Amino acid sequence: VKVFDIMGGTVKDMTARVTGSEKVTTPAGTFDAHVVEVRPAEGGSEGMKLWIAKTGRAIVKTETVVPAAMGGGTVVSELTK
């Protein structure tokens, strides 16, 4: 998967891998979901984790690691409706 790197102004190769399944609860309800991890192809700690509902295939939650150059931390978003 190719992704635009906003900090570097370049396109990066990323890998997406299904790492399991989980039951995840958001304000919109509880979902049986596939867990997908997206990471830089060359390695590194940045990337994101997606929870994709098995029924309907909607993204119900994301967790993104923010690089230290942008202040570091983790951003979480969840489906609300």
Side-chain angles (χ1 to χ4, degrees):
V1 178
K2 297 205 181 283
V3 176
F4 182 72
D5 176 9
I6 216 164
M7 289 294 292
T10 60
V11 175
K12 279 187 163 180
D13 287 320
M14 305 288 277
T15 59
R17 187 171 69 108
V18 176
T19 59
S21 61
E22 295 179 4
K23 192 171 288 257
V24 62
T25 300
T26 73
T30 300
F31 303 89
D32 286 319
H34 297 289
V35 181
V36 177
E37 291 190 23
V38 180
R39 301 275 180 237
E42 75 278 355
S45 61
E46 62 192 68
M48 73 180 340
K49 188 187 268 190
L50 308 167
W51 285 261
I52 301 172
K54 291 180 179 180
T55 303
R57 297 187 179 154
I59 297 172
V60 296
K61 182 176 178 178
T62 67
E63 197 173 275
T64 305
V65 177
V66 178
M70 293 180 68
T74 303
V75 176
V76 177
S77 61
E78 296 180 331
L79 187 65
T80 58
K81 291 184 180 183

